[in-house]
Amino acid sequence: MKTEWRIFGIVASFLLAVSIVYAVWTDGQLGHVEWAGTTALILSALLCAMCGGFFWFVSRRIDPRPEDRPDAEIAEGAGEVGFFSPGSYWPLGLALAATIAGAGLAFWQIWLLLAGAVAIIFAACGLLFEYYSGTRRTAEH
């Protein structure tokens, strides 16, 4: 986790520096600070700092992974990465539901936004419980 918190820390520092440069530059060009971009850059820096702080906090409490040790061998990182569903259609449904909700938000149609939100909840539950019900149900559950 050392690598992750360092990357987020570097990006947060960069965004903070860019926000200062942006504020000074727009003040010189326009005669006033352009607050929308400055605020967006500062909030982005804070978000990256928050993620970096979380990774730093976690990295102090777990054993170093092979990626974090300079003396590690490549074979130490081998093994199962995780489980990825090979034939699931739920991500497509979730993307479609997010598109509907996004269109409702973009055009400020409350009925479309609510329909998209309900569809997002339905698709997220379908994705989450895919292997606990239906034809893909496993024997140990």
Side-chain angles (χ1 to χ4, degrees):
M1 295 266 169
K2 275 185 179 179
T3 307
E4 288 88 350
W5 76 260
R6 286 181 180 158
I7 289 172
F8 276 103
I10 290 169
V11 172
S13 301
F14 172 77
L15 287 171
L16 188 61
V18 167
S19 67
I20 293 168
V21 169
Y22 184 77
V24 170
W25 190 10
T26 57
D27 189 35
Q29 293 287 323
L30 303 174
H32 61 86
V33 176
E34 198 274 315
W35 287 108
T38 305
T39 304
L41 286 167
I42 290 172
L43 289 177
S44 298
L46 291 174
L47 181 63
C48 286
M50 183 179 68
C51 293
F54 171 76
F55 285 131
W56 173 75
F57 185 76
V58 170
S59 73
R60 293 178 51 222
R61 283 162 175 66
I62 63 171
D63 293 330
R65 301 173 304 163
E67 299 91 39
D68 297 330
R69 294 191 343 253
D71 63 334
E73 296 291 328
I74 293 175
E76 291 181 49
E80 186 175 326
V81 176
F83 175 74
F84 304 99
S85 183
S88 177
Y89 288 107
W90 285 110
L92 179 65
L94 191 59
L96 181 62
T99 303
I100 292 170
L105 189 61
F107 296 116
W108 201 241
Q109 298 294 316
I110 300 298
W111 65 272
L112 191 58
L113 181 62
L114 291 175
V118 169
I120 286 173
I121 291 170
F122 179 73
C125 289
L127 183 63
L128 181 65
F129 295 115
E130 179 176 15
Y131 286 93
Y132 295 102
S133 64
T135 58
R136 292 185 177 206
R137 184 176 182 162
T138 56
E140 62 266 2
H141 290 120

